[in-house]
Amino acid sequence: MRRAVCPGSFDPITNGHLDIIERASKLYDVVHVAVLINKNKSGLFTVDERIALIEETCGRYGNIEVESHSGLLVDFCRDRGIPAIIKGLRAVSDFDYELQMAQMNHGLTGVETLFVPTSPTYSFLSSSLVKEVASYGGDVSHLLPPVVHRRLVERIAERAGQ
Ligand code: PNS
């Protein structure tokens, strides 16, 4: 089985993530989507909610496994026999940090990182920007799967009412 991982925070998953995961799912037998837990960041969605949204939106690809992980990505890969990390590159600005991480991860365990250029439609898209625009009432419905958009609007309304 040829395996790869698409790692990220996925808070929440966007159409940009889906673009990369779908393309990876056509290249590999199994694509692991790893929700990395960052102790220093509190998300808008819990890790379980993020996993549920990924499962709902990626299930149709048929070869996706979704899990959370707290710790190093290279350990996640080693424990599951995953030789490749797939990352979307949106613009040149992503490249410096992504290259650093790729070189560090390769130096740690030999895991490879493969970069996929994002669709130009999503080259500006990030979960943070979507959350910011939505929190001020901006329309982000074209940037998210419908179920994610619904939950985002609900969550922002809940937070505003607290
Ligand atoms: O969606 P994000 O927040 O841009 O994803 C970044 C992520 C989670 C892929 C990256 O921070 C990561 O790999 N974190 C896991 C911890 C780790 O392995 N850190 C060392 C990287 S060289």
Side-chain angles (χ1 to χ4, degrees):
M1 287 289 227
R2 293 185 321 140
R3 294 174 184 275
V5 61
C6 292
S9 304
F10 301 105
D11 185 37
I13 188 163
T14 68
N15 287 345
H17 293 124
L18 281 181
D19 171 43
I20 300 300
I21 295 167
E22 180 177 14
R23 286 156 67 189
S25 78
K26 292 177 180 158
L27 298 171
Y28 286 87
D29 298 316
V30 181
V31 172
H32 296 255
V33 178
V35 179
L36 271 302
I37 300 169
N38 183 339
K39 294 186 294 261
N40 303 315
K41 264 202 223 167
S42 71
L44 185 60
F45 292 94
T46 66
V47 169
D48 286 345
E49 289 169 335
R50 293 178 216 177
I51 289 176
L53 287 173
I54 297 167
E55 282 172 344
E56 269 184 76
T57 51
C58 295
R60 64 199 149 106
Y61 303 144
N63 59 347
I64 306 295
E65 290 188 10
V66 192
E67 278 179 85
S68 63
H69 178 71
S70 65
L72 289 176
L73 179 57
V74 290
D75 290 334
F76 180 92
C77 294
R78 194 189 40 218
D79 293 348
R80 291 158 185 79
I82 299 170
I85 298 166
I86 308 280
K87 287 288 191 83
L89 275 189
R90 290 169 294 195
V92 177
S93 50
D94 278 343
F95 186 71
D96 279 352
Y97 187 47
E98 291 296 343
L99 181 65
Q100 272 187 335
M101 286 198 286
Q103 290 171 330
M104 174 63 86
N105 286 332
H106 187 262
L108 288 170
T109 62
V111 69
E112 296 289 0
T113 298
L114 305 180
F115 294 120
V116 176
T118 56
S119 156
T121 320
Y122 304 124
S123 60
F124 60 92
L125 181 53
S126 71
S127 299
S128 317
L129 219 45
V130 161
K131 287 184 284 190
E132 183 177 337
V133 172
S135 72
Y136 290 108
D139 180 11
V140 291
S141 57
H142 55 301
L143 303 173
L144 301 168
V147 60
V148 178
H149 182 246
R150 261 197 320 276
R151 305 259 171 86
L152 177 64
V153 170
E154 282 166 13
R155 179 55 47 88
I156 287 169
E158 283 162 24
R159 291 277 167 104
Q162 278 172 5

